[in-house]
Each structure stands twice: as C-alpha cells, then as structure tokens.
Amino acid sequence: MTKKQDGMNYAPKGKPHPVVGEGEFHFAAIGLDHGHIYGMCNGLIEAGAELTAVYDPDPEKVKRFVETFPQAKVATSEEEIMGDPQIKLIAAACIPSERCALGLRTMEHGKHYFADKPAFTTLEQVDQARQKTEETGQKWGIYYGERLHVESAVFAGQLIEEGAIGRVVQVIGTGPHRANPKSRPDWFFDPDCYGGILCDIGSHQIEQFLHYAGAKDAKVLHSKVANYKFKDYPRFEDFGDATLVADNGATFYFRVDWLTPDGLGTWGDGRTLILGTEGYIEIRKYIDIAREPSGNHLYLVNHEGEFHYDCSGKVGYPYFGALILDILNGTETAMTQEHAFKAAALCIEAQMQAIRIEMA
C-alpha cells in the first residue's frame, strides 16, 4: 500500500528487523481516519510487534484495514481493546483534533500511545499530554513520518552525527502535497479538525529541523498561510511557510502546500537542504524529477567531494524498533518525549502566529 500518487495512503514497507520475539509485544490500532495508520503498523510489525486488534466506528474503514492486516481481530468497542492486558501500545490515526483525547484515555488504561501527526491541534492539548506522561510514565510517540519513515532522511541524520558536514547552521524544507480533494473527507478541509496547514504537514518540517540542527527549542520569527486555489473550501489552507531560529543559533525556513501538479509522478516532491559549516546535504525524498522515479536520493558535498546515495532498501527505519525497546526498557533512544512535544508545540505556535494572505 505505498500509493505514490496519494500521500494520505502512502505506507512505506521495509525489511523485517525484529527487536522482540514472538508474543513479546502486542499492539492495537484505534482510529482509521488517516491512511498513515497503515505505515505506522507496517513499521511496528517489521520491528517484531504483533498487531492483535483494531477498532473504528466505521465498519468500511475496518473492512479495508483487515484486508491488509488480517491478523487483527475486529473489536466491538474501544473499551474492549483498552481492557486487554496483553496490549501494550495503541496506534492511532483518528481525526487530528481527537487524537489527544484518545491518547489520554489510552494512558488512563496503562498503555502507551503512538499517534499520527499532528498529534495535537492546540497548545492546551500539548500541556495535557505532557502532564499525563509525567503522571503515568507512559510513552506518547508521534509519527513524524517524513523523517522517521524515509530512508534518505534517516541517512542524513546519520551523516550529520558522523560530522560529514560539520555543525548544522541552516535547514530549508519543502513539503508539497497533492490534494486529491474528491477523495478527501470533510474534516480534511476544516482547520478546527486538522489544525491548519502549519500545524498539520508543517509538523514534519519542524521536527526535522530540531533533529538535524541538534536543537532543543526554537522561536517562530514569521509565518503565513493562504488559500490560493481551493475557493470552494474557504477555510482551507493550501499554502503555508515559516521561519524559525533555534536555541543554538541554527535557522530554518520551510514551505508546505497542497499544490502538487498532476504531472508529477508521486504525491509530492519533498526535499530538505541542510547547510553545515563543512558541507551540505540535499534530500530528494520521493522522486528525482525527470531523471529517476524512485525516491530516497541523498546528495552530499563536503571537503572530500561530491556524492550521491540511493538509500532505498539500504538504511531501514530504526525508529520503530527503538520505540518498542524504549517502551519495554523505560529508555529514550527512539525520540525523547520532550523533542516530540516541542516539535508539536512549535508547529501550533507557527499556525497561531501566521498571517493569512487574502488574494484580491
């Protein structure tokens, strides 16, 4: 279920790399409103987790889900899953504005939570999640898939850690998406449900910046949003950008949009440029336009020369196994809780501060 034309249902598959044995880690899926749930489940299963149950109030969504994951028992209610003591983790991709409440209920039942991005649509929700994780000690993972589930993006982080480009001083990110409006649910066009474009797909960008720059915090300097094309949905935002500066001095500009033309061979030409003191990296995540239809291309230039890496099938997705082991061992190797929450809060702040451009 990779579906390169449709980002909502883009679900990468990698090579199995189990970190646990059979029967050691059970998880369930609740909330199937966004297709990212398929990628989230793929990643966990490849890391050795066992998907044992699924629930959604829409039987059609459940039917499609179990066609892909027949091992999942269809639960009759959310409570049935919450009450199963074998299930350690709930993976969820319900409507974004509802993800926090589901996470709070999950932790009240002693389980860990793995939410699709954006995990929150308000700062109040972020504060509630922070408090709940502190009270319970449970993990609140967030699926920032444009870094965690893209091999070239994973490899970029490894190169930076190895010192390939020196200290990171600037990141530029682009996250264009194809809208496919006829196939979208009503909530997709309602900012009260999805949080606005900077909160939604902008969350990928801000998380990447913090990670690549090695930053713990950042300040939003400027942001703006617009609806240039989809006038039938007046509250929708099809364009957004923002500028941030991190606590360590690194700077960031990103642009996200729903304006991908039909002629592109994938759902979005996502790219990231990372400038360091000793070189730079460009990631072409999903396509190398007019040259190569595959994604996961990384270009590196430093004092040693110019390099191109085709990362497909060579790097893997270590986040999922690390998340499972963090849950079992009480560690923080996959992603710190503070990092997950900070990225979520900053994208909401960028959204709240955004100037809305109105076309004449």
Side-chain angles (χ1 to χ4, degrees), residues 3 22 34 68-69 75 88 176 210 218 233 244 278:
K3 293 192 176 181
E22 185 177 348
H34 199 295
T68 301
F69 302 110
K88 293 182 171 66
L210 294 178
Y233 308 97
L244 289 79
E278 309 299 329

Short mmCIF file of all heavy atoms in Angstrom, two decimals, residues 3 22 34 68-69 75 88 176 210 218 233 244 278:
data_model
loop_
_atom_site.label_atom_id
_atom_site.label_comp_id
_atom_site.label_asym_id
_atom_site.label_seq_id
_atom_site.Cartn_x
_atom_site.Cartn_y
_atom_site.Cartn_z
N LYS A 3 1.20 3.49 -2.72
CA LYS A 3 0.37 4.50 -3.36
C LYS A 3 1.10 5.83 -3.53
O LYS A 3 0.80 6.81 -2.86
CB LYS A 3 -0.95 4.70 -2.59
CG LYS A 3 -1.85 3.46 -2.67
CD LYS A 3 -3.24 3.75 -2.17
CE LYS A 3 -4.14 2.55 -2.34
NZ LYS A 3 -5.52 2.79 -1.91
N GLU A 22 8.50 -13.54 19.33
CA GLU A 22 7.08 -13.80 19.11
C GLU A 22 6.30 -13.71 20.43
O GLU A 22 6.71 -14.29 21.43
CB GLU A 22 6.89 -15.18 18.49
CG GLU A 22 5.46 -15.49 18.12
CD GLU A 22 5.32 -16.85 17.44
OE1 GLU A 22 6.37 -17.41 17.04
OE2 GLU A 22 4.18 -17.33 17.30
N HIS A 34 -7.06 8.46 8.97
CA HIS A 34 -5.97 8.82 8.06
C HIS A 34 -5.20 7.57 7.67
O HIS A 34 -4.91 6.71 8.51
CB HIS A 34 -5.04 9.83 8.71
CG HIS A 34 -4.20 10.59 7.72
ND1 HIS A 34 -3.25 9.97 6.93
CD2 HIS A 34 -4.17 11.90 7.37
CE1 HIS A 34 -2.68 10.87 6.15
NE2 HIS A 34 -3.22 12.04 6.40
N THR A 68 -5.77 -5.70 4.66
CA THR A 68 -4.31 -5.54 4.66
C THR A 68 -3.67 -6.26 5.84
O THR A 68 -2.59 -6.85 5.72
CB THR A 68 -3.95 -4.04 4.71
OG1 THR A 68 -4.51 -3.38 3.58
CG2 THR A 68 -2.43 -3.84 4.70
N PHE A 69 -4.34 -6.23 7.00
CA PHE A 69 -3.81 -6.83 8.21
C PHE A 69 -4.82 -7.85 8.77
O PHE A 69 -5.51 -7.59 9.77
CB PHE A 69 -3.52 -5.76 9.27
CG PHE A 69 -2.54 -4.70 8.83
CD1 PHE A 69 -2.97 -3.39 8.58
CD2 PHE A 69 -1.19 -5.00 8.66
CE1 PHE A 69 -2.07 -2.42 8.20
CE2 PHE A 69 -0.29 -4.02 8.27
CZ PHE A 69 -0.72 -2.73 8.02
N ALA A 75 -12.41 -5.52 17.04
CA ALA A 75 -13.02 -5.29 18.34
C ALA A 75 -14.37 -4.61 18.17
O ALA A 75 -14.60 -3.88 17.21
CB ALA A 75 -12.11 -4.42 19.21
N LYS A 88 0.10 -3.57 24.75
CA LYS A 88 0.97 -2.58 25.39
C LYS A 88 0.86 -1.20 24.76
O LYS A 88 1.13 -0.19 25.42
CB LYS A 88 2.43 -3.05 25.33
CG LYS A 88 2.74 -4.28 26.17
CD LYS A 88 4.22 -4.62 26.08
CE LYS A 88 4.61 -5.71 27.08
NZ LYS A 88 3.99 -7.00 26.77
N PRO A 176 5.59 19.77 -0.32
CA PRO A 176 4.42 19.87 -1.20
C PRO A 176 3.64 18.57 -1.22
O PRO A 176 4.22 17.48 -1.17
CB PRO A 176 5.04 20.17 -2.56
CG PRO A 176 6.40 19.55 -2.51
CD PRO A 176 6.85 19.65 -1.09
N LEU A 210 14.56 20.49 14.20
CA LEU A 210 15.09 20.30 15.55
C LEU A 210 16.08 19.14 15.59
O LEU A 210 17.12 19.21 16.24
CB LEU A 210 13.95 20.05 16.53
CG LEU A 210 12.96 21.20 16.77
CD1 LEU A 210 11.86 20.76 17.72
CD2 LEU A 210 13.66 22.44 17.30
N ALA A 218 13.15 26.34 19.75
CA ALA A 218 13.26 27.31 18.67
C ALA A 218 12.19 28.37 18.85
O ALA A 218 11.23 28.18 19.60
CB ALA A 218 13.12 26.63 17.30
N TYR A 233 -13.58 25.74 -0.70
CA TYR A 233 -13.38 25.45 0.73
C TYR A 233 -12.72 26.67 1.36
O TYR A 233 -11.50 26.71 1.57
CB TYR A 233 -12.51 24.21 0.90
CG TYR A 233 -13.00 23.01 0.12
CD1 TYR A 233 -12.47 22.70 -1.14
CD2 TYR A 233 -14.00 22.19 0.63
CE1 TYR A 233 -12.92 21.61 -1.86
CE2 TYR A 233 -14.46 21.09 -0.09
CZ TYR A 233 -13.91 20.81 -1.33
OH TYR A 233 -14.35 19.72 -2.04
N LEU A 244 12.14 30.05 11.42
CA LEU A 244 12.42 29.83 12.83
C LEU A 244 13.92 29.98 13.08
O LEU A 244 14.74 29.81 12.17
CB LEU A 244 12.00 28.43 13.28
CG LEU A 244 10.50 28.12 13.40
CD1 LEU A 244 9.89 27.84 12.03
CD2 LEU A 244 10.27 26.92 14.32
N GLU A 278 30.89 22.65 7.16
CA GLU A 278 31.88 21.94 6.36
C GLU A 278 31.28 21.23 5.14
O GLU A 278 31.94 20.40 4.52
CB GLU A 278 32.60 20.89 7.23
CG GLU A 278 33.15 21.42 8.53
CD GLU A 278 34.20 22.51 8.34
OE1 GLU A 278 34.92 22.46 7.31
OE2 GLU A 278 34.30 23.40 9.21
#
